[in-house]
């Protein structure tokens, strides 16, 4: 087990939980990476749609960013309240299912799960994509790089929550620090230059003349594209339990810092983009550069600072997948606790993390990456839907919460959450309509499929619980020894051992032997001398030997049929099948011995019923 | 099972064996394909080495072919005698081990196995290679084509010996028929033209001037290259049991036809190659054509007959792998019967073929094809070694056989076999020396490795037999009920069922429960009312409940440790662990239930000993 120790760290006791909880500074990289990294692509996604407006379009980035910041502020207050109201972890699933009902809750859960799976795949491939466009010789290794980073993130997460935070601290703060510095320098230059700073490196793309006029539809689309900057905001509220005591307070502070930083980044980027007149170039064009790249170059030139900043952006993008790893397992656990997902999602592994969720997420992300060869751009339209569906349901749930709770201040809280629900709901509709044919219909279908699967799981668990639950005391019937059947292949110590045990259990013992057509009848000839004589001498009823023919050279099937026959002929009796089994001490001996005992056990378990009991009498070889 | 029925055919009873045996006409494609197809590459391999001699070199093909034919005749008589002496299947392994001892036998077996594995891979890739050079657009699909043909051959062989023969009859006779016709036409043209026929299509490559003189070393190399035409000759003697009654007679007739055809083909090709002045062009040159292709074009022109002939050559080359599939499983079975390979090689599947051998051969050939991307030319030097090592050992074994048997005619037979042994032994040495650095050392290493593995397997089986064999009658001790331990997860009908069974076995029953830190203590609270009270009322000693802590959230390990503790504290007693298990009726319910029962059984089986017995009390869910 020492390899596991090295890879994953020593097992943690349940009582070590407190040591695994994180404070604000480690919580930000874990639960904030996704949200913070979206500052790198949200503004760009909005600016791209403004290209047809020419230079005039750039100006619109400020009011649109302002409205996104307003929306973000609303969502922030909503989630602050949610964290306080749900200290056990108040993700969209919990809030929606407690306040709106099971079905809306599951809808939110399915939407978020889809979102996390896509985030994991898209985040990694976006980071690798940026790396590959910087170092084109790596291009043939795109998929390997993606899978390597995925494996790394999975491993770090399996090592526990705290370690994940510690590993990601440096890149996160490097990213935030360099961007904040860029914004500070850019702002002071702008102020000193009276609003029109001279770029160190001018943005390369000359702005085309306007080819469109501003319309409401266009602005709504720009707004909804910019809203991708908001994905990942819900992570903290889902992971409250991972924070250090006082849990609620620590989580709220982490959320405040994350949203605060995100707002500063978005506002600063929007202001500087307008001040420096940077328009997003068409991503299809040669010489394409990202908006952040042009901005940093314009403010600080292309020195070492530029490369550190852009490098940290690449790292952060590919690590933003980590937020999915922090939240997806927690979400699955919450759903599994309500019996809508396999219970295995609720078990905590050696490092106190929900191992099953981490592995399932890694597997699904790996499948997506392999299906798309590491280039998952086309998946982006699929995943805004999930986030905004979850936001809307969560905030609608909070409205219902305040209505139910009532009391002073409830009206105000309800208004804030209601506003958020309406705003994110409208965004959801815009995204759905604008991107339906681009792939949003796939998201809708997948969410419906996941919903059905969860309902099916719940129904199955319900039926099993109904069948197995019992509050009745033990029914003590007169102990009646079972009918014992012992399959025997040959007369050896393995068979002897099993027969001796059979005689301790019951007076009704039958040995069963499957005879091949070409074998000598050694067992039949010797039965009297080897078994009947000594047993009779000891005053016990001797076991009889039943020989079964096998024209098709099968062994397990004839025995299984015989057991079922005996069971049918003896209603009400318990049948015990004693399977003698040779056990190898070394794995490399495994292919050397036949697996008939295993096949027989499997057959009987599969075809049997409650009255048929399997007894495994092992024989260990020392060789 | 109906998919298996369609793919593999209905199961055959052991008594159907006679119907699966083959006559001469079906036996030739099955056991002769490898030998006959070597007429397509043996002469070419020899001619290639004669290139440096210019036109003068072509003349040497006739004496060299003549000497190969003499050798072939010697080998023919040797194997004829072998078939008569070993009607149960007299491959090199049997003959060498019975007459020379275990070690030479195993050496022959290892050499032949290696040879068959290589034949399967090289045959298929040679056929596909020829196809690809005819239809270059197929080139990117080389590996897929190879694996497809491999899968087809595997499937046909799994369907049974007879079907394999029937499928391959048409291409085999097409190949033999067209080549014989070519030879007949060419001969008559040559005779009519007084020894110097005019080719319809002249051979393209102008012969270069001689750049070397004839030396003994060169001629020995040419001879040994030409000897690849002899590979596959041993197949019939190994598969005697597959032939129809009178077995020996049928097998001998099949061998006669195969060798006879091969001799006619080799002699005809050699004669016509000299008459038409066809020299092998360098395979590296552009416009390369095989010798057979030039010969057929020279005799018959490039009409439909040419394409039918060359087409049948391609098919036969790739199907020559089938001989390996016919013989490798039989060889493995013979070795396994002597305990030098896993016994699984000796079991006959639903169609009376040795399934395990077929599947292992297919897997190894697939690995080779994938490692070399479907181009296995470089493996050819590896596989003459195996064939000639087996020939030499087999014939040396026959010499020892005649010496032992004695009697009239033994001297003559000994002389024939001794001649063969010396001739093939010399060839073996020549091949080894000439090709040692080209890869023959790999063969030598692999043969040594296989030999060691077989000896290791034999030693293991020997030890197991020593440990388990028993000729003692049953030792009847006073039946003493076991100590029973029942792991219980919760109070439900599954646990109830297991406890009720436990009470029928013994008065010493202990229930074991692993307590998680965060669970409510429902089971502990209810134990008195649910179990102790009713059992005591019935006048039985009530089972006690042991609660085990689990700081690391493990379940199987604490239970297993407890069982081992009880076992250590009660020397001489039998411990029965009753594992309650929920059994799903549908595979798709499998991921929904935890696998603790399975993990526990596996743990106890692995760490336990003969005194610990596992009892599986199943509970079937109907949901």
């Amino acid at each position: 087990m020492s390899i596991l120790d090295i890879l994953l760290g020593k097992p943690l006791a349940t009582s070590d939980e407190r040591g695994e909880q994180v404070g604000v500074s480690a919580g930000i990289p874990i639960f904030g990476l996704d949200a913070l990294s979206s500052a790198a692509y949200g503004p760009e996604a909005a600016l791209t749609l403004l290209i047809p407006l020419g230079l005039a379009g750039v100006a619109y980035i400020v009011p649109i960013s302002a409205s996104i910041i307003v929306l973000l502020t609303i969502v922030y207050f909503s989630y602050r309240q949610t964290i306080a109201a749900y200290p056990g972890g108040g993700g969209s699933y919990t809030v929606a299912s407690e306040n709106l009902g099971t079905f809306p809750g599951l809808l939110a859960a399915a939407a978020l799960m889809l979102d996390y799976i896509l985030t994991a795949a898209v985040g990694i491939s976006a980071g690798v994509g940026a790396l590959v466009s910087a170092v084109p010789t790596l291009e043939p290794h795109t998929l390997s790089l993606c899978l390597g980073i995925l494996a790394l993130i999975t491993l770090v997460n399996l090592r526990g929550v705290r370690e994940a935070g510690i590993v990601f601290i440096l890149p996160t703060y490097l990213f935030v620090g360099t961007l904040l510095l860029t914004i500070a320098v850019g702002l002071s230059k702008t102020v000193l230059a009276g609003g029109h700073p001279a770029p160190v490196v001018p943005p390369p793309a000359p702005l085309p003349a306007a080819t469109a006029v501003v319309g409401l539809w266009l602005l709504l689309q720009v707004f909804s594209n910019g809203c991708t900057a908001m994905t990942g905001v819900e992570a903290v509220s889902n992971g409250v339990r991972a924070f250090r005591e006082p849990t609620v307070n620590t989580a709220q502070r982490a959320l405040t810092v994350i949203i605060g930083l995100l707002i500063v980044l978005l506002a600063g980027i929007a202001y500087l983009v307008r001040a420096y007149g940077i328009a997003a170039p068409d991503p299809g064009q040669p010489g394409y550069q990202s908006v952040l790249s042009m901005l940093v170059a314009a403010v600080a030139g292309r020195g070492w600072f530029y490369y550190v900043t852009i490098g940290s952006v690449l790292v952060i993008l590919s690590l933003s997948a980590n937020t999915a790893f922090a939240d997806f397992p927690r979400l699955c656990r919450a759903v599994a606790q309500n019996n809508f997902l396999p219970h295995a999602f609720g078990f905590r592994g050696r490092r106190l993390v929900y191992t099953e969720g981490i592995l399932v997420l890694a597997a699904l992300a790996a499948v997506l990456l392999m299906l798309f060869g590491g280039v998952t751009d086309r998946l982006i339209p699929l995943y805004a839907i999930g986030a905004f569906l979850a936001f809307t349901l969560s905030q609608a749930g909070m409205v219902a919460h305040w209505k139910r709770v009532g009391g002073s201040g409830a009206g105000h809280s309800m208004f804030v959450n209601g506003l958020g629900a309406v705003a994110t709901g409208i965004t959801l509709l815009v995204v759905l309509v604008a991107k339906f044919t681009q792939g949003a219909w796939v998201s809708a279908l997948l969410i419906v499929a996941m919903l059905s699967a969860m309902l099916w799981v719940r129904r199955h668990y319900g039926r099993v619980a109904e069948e197995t639950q019992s509050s009745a005391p033990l029914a003590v019937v007169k102990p009646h020894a079972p009918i014992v059947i012992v399959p025997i292949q040959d007369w050896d110590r393995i068979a002897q051992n099993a027969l001796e045990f059979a005689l301790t259990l019951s007076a009704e013992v039958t040995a069963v032997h499957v005879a091949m057509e070409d074998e000598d009848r050694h067992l039949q000839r010797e039965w009297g001398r080897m078994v009947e004589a000594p047993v009779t001498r000891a005053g016990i009823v001797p076991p009889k030997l039943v020989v079964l023919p096998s024209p098709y050279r099968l062994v397990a099937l004839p025995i299984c049929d015989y057991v079922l026959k005996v069971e049918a002929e003896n209603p009400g009796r318990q049948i015990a099948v004693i399977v003698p089994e040779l056990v190898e001490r070394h794995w490399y001996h495994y292919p050397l011995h036949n697996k008939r005992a295993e096949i027989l056990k499997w057959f009987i378990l599969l075809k049997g019923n409650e009255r048929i009991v399997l007894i495994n009498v092992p024989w260990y070889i020392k060789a």
Side-chain angles (χ1 to χ4, degrees), chain A:
Chain A
M1 289 288 178
S2 69
I3 275 189
L4 270 187
D5 279 353
I6 293 166
L7 273 180
L8 304 180
K10 296 219 170 294
L12 293 172
T14 311
S15 52
D16 292 339
E17 178 151 34
R18 187 154 305 186
E20 272 300 289
Q21 289 172 334
V22 293
V24 174
S25 58
I28 290 168
I30 298 172
F31 294 102
L33 257 186
D34 188 13
L36 289 173
S37 69
S38 47
Y41 54 78
E44 169 145 2
L47 278 170
T48 308
L49 283 184
L50 290 170
I51 295 173
L53 297 180
L55 194 55
V58 178
Y60 285 99
I61 195 67
V62 172
I64 281 177
S65 290
S67 54
I68 291 171
I69 287 171
V70 169
L71 184 54
L72 198 54
T73 313
I74 295 169
V75 170
Y76 162 66
F77 281 107
S78 159
Y79 276 120
R80 235 188 111 84
Q81 290 167 343
T82 310
I83 290 170
Y86 293 92
S92 301
Y93 168 64
T94 315
V95 174
S97 56
E98 288 204 4
N99 297 302
L100 299 178
T102 304
F103 194 79
L106 290 177
L107 192 61
L112 269 182
M113 279 177 206
L114 182 64
D115 198 41
Y116 286 137
I117 297 164
L118 292 168
T119 298
V122 172
I124 291 175
S125 74
V128 171
L131 177 68
V132 163
S133 68
V135 191
T137 50
L138 289 176
E139 214 265 310
H141 308 292
T142 303
L143 183 57
S144 321
L145 284 169
C146 287
L147 294 177
I149 292 176
L150 178 64
L152 193 81
I153 294 178
T154 307
L155 192 67
V156 165
N157 276 282
L158 286 175
R159 288 185 67 97
V161 171
R162 245 174 78 82
E163 293 219 19
I166 291 167
V167 167
F168 296 138
I169 278 183
L170 181 71
T172 309
Y173 288 116
L174 199 63
F175 167 81
V176 172
T178 50
L179 274 195
L180 285 182
L181 199 61
T182 306
I183 289 168
V185 171
L187 273 181
S188 48
K189 280 188 179 177
T190 308
V191 170
L192 287 177
H196 296 286
V200 180
V201 177
L207 281 167
T211 58
V213 288
V214 184
L216 180 64
W217 177 244
L218 179 66
L219 286 184
L220 276 178
Q221 279 200 303
V222 173
F223 170 78
S224 74
N225 257 20
C227 277
T228 54
M230 283 178 58
T231 54
V233 163
E234 108 124 33
V236 174
S237 68
N238 217 9
V240 183
R241 275 160 56 104
F243 285 92
R244 199 174 288 154
E245 300 271 1
T247 314
V248 168
N249 218 287
T250 318
Q252 280 180 335
R253 271 172 29 226
L255 182 68
T256 308
V257 176
I258 292 168
I259 304 270
L261 285 173
L262 182 56
I263 287 177
V264 171
L265 292 178
L266 289 178
I269 291 169
Y271 181 80
L272 290 179
V273 157
R274 196 182 59 174
Y276 282 90
I278 292 167
D282 207 324
Q285 300 293 315
Y288 161 77
Q289 267 193 67
S290 72
V291 168
L292 269 190
S293 162
M294 289 189 283
L295 183 62
V296 178
V299 170
R302 285 186 186 272
W304 62 268
F305 182 77
Y306 169 83
Y307 288 103
V308 170
T309 310
I310 297 305
S312 74
V313 171
L314 304 193
V315 172
I316 279 311
L317 272 178
S318 59
L319 296 188
S320 70
N322 191 62
T323 302
F325 277 88
D327 257 17
F328 181 86
R330 288 194 163 73
L331 174 61
C332 290
R333 167 185 162 269
V335 179
Q337 278 186 328
N338 292 329
N339 295 326
F340 287 102
L341 275 182
H343 290 153
F345 283 107
F347 300 144
R348 288 196 288 181
R350 52 195 279 135
R351 299 288 288 182
L352 283 165
V353 292
Y354 301 103
T355 314
E356 184 91 359
I358 292 177
L359 295 177
V360 166
L361 177 60
L364 293 173
V367 167
L368 276 184
L369 285 171
M370 285 190 280
L371 276 181
F372 289 82
V375 183
T376 55
D377 289 353
R378 272 180 294 162
L379 296 178
I380 292 180
L382 273 73
Y383 90 116
I385 309 278
F388 281 94
L389 185 51
F391 284 156
T392 310
L393 287 166
S394 160
Q395 286 172 93
M398 286 309 289
V399 172
H401 174 79
W402 298 125
K403 201 169 167 184
R404 212 185 53 213
V405 172
S408 71
H412 171 257
S413 305
M414 243 174 95
F415 173 75
V416 169
N417 283 137
L419 192 68
V422 170
T424 51
I426 288 171
T427 312
L428 174 65
L429 285 178
V430 170
V431 173
L432 241 180
V433 171
K435 299 184 171 167
F436 195 78
T437 52
Q438 287 170 48
W441 64 274
V442 178
S443 293
L445 267 186
L446 284 177
I447 289 173
V448 170
M450 287 161 80
L451 214 58
S452 323
M454 291 193 282
L455 291 172
W456 174 82
V457 169
R458 175 73 184 82
R459 208 181 51 207
H460 174 78
Y461 277 136
R463 286 192 189 163
V464 171
E466 217 170 87
E467 275 184 43
T468 60
Q469 78 188 356
S470 164
S471 53
L474 203 65
V476 188
V477 287
K478 200 128 202 101
H480 196 314
I483 298 174
V484 176
I485 298 172
V486 190
I488 284 182
Q489 201 168 319
D490 213 338
W491 185 252
D492 52 19
R493 294 177 67 183
I494 309 171
Q496 238 171 307
N497 196 33
L499 260 185
E500 283 165 17
F501 182 73
L503 292 174
T504 68
L505 290 190
S506 173
E508 293 169 79
V509 178
T510 308
V512 179
H513 174 67
V514 175
M516 293 297 151
E517 292 193 5
D518 47 359
E519 73 173 25
D520 66 341
R521 314 203 154 262
H522 174 256
L523 192 64
Q524 290 93 308
R525 284 197 314 272
E526 299 288 317
W527 191 254
R529 188 172 70 84
M530 293 297 194
V531 180
E532 279 173 352
V535 175
T536 313
R537 267 201 303 278
I540 309 174
V541 187
K544 63 175 182 209
L545 177 67
V546 172
V547 177
L548 302 172
S550 178
Y552 294 99
R553 301 167 302 285
L554 300 168
V555 174
L557 201 61
I559 295 175
C560 186
D561 288 344
Y562 176 78
V563 170
L564 293 177
K565 202 187 80 182
V566 171
E567 185 263 347
E569 285 168 359
N570 295 276
R573 290 293 298 279
Q574 197 111 30
I575 317 289
V577 182
I578 297 194
V579 182
E581 183 167 0
L582 188 146
V583 184
E584 303 98 356
R585 289 279 185 195
H586 303 289
W587 61 266
Y588 47 79
H589 287 149
Y590 189 83
L592 297 181
H593 298 285
N594 70 60
K595 298 294 157 296
R596 280 179 182 151
E598 270 165 55
I599 295 168
L600 179 62
K601 285 192 286 183
W602 186 78
F603 253 108
I604 292 179
L605 206 60
L606 207 76
K607 297 192 155 197
N609 59 40
E610 277 85 4
R611 286 199 289 122
I612 300 176
V613 162
L614 268 174
I615 301 183
N616 212 178
V617 179
W619 177 272
Y620 292 85
I621 44 174
K622 283 148 211 88

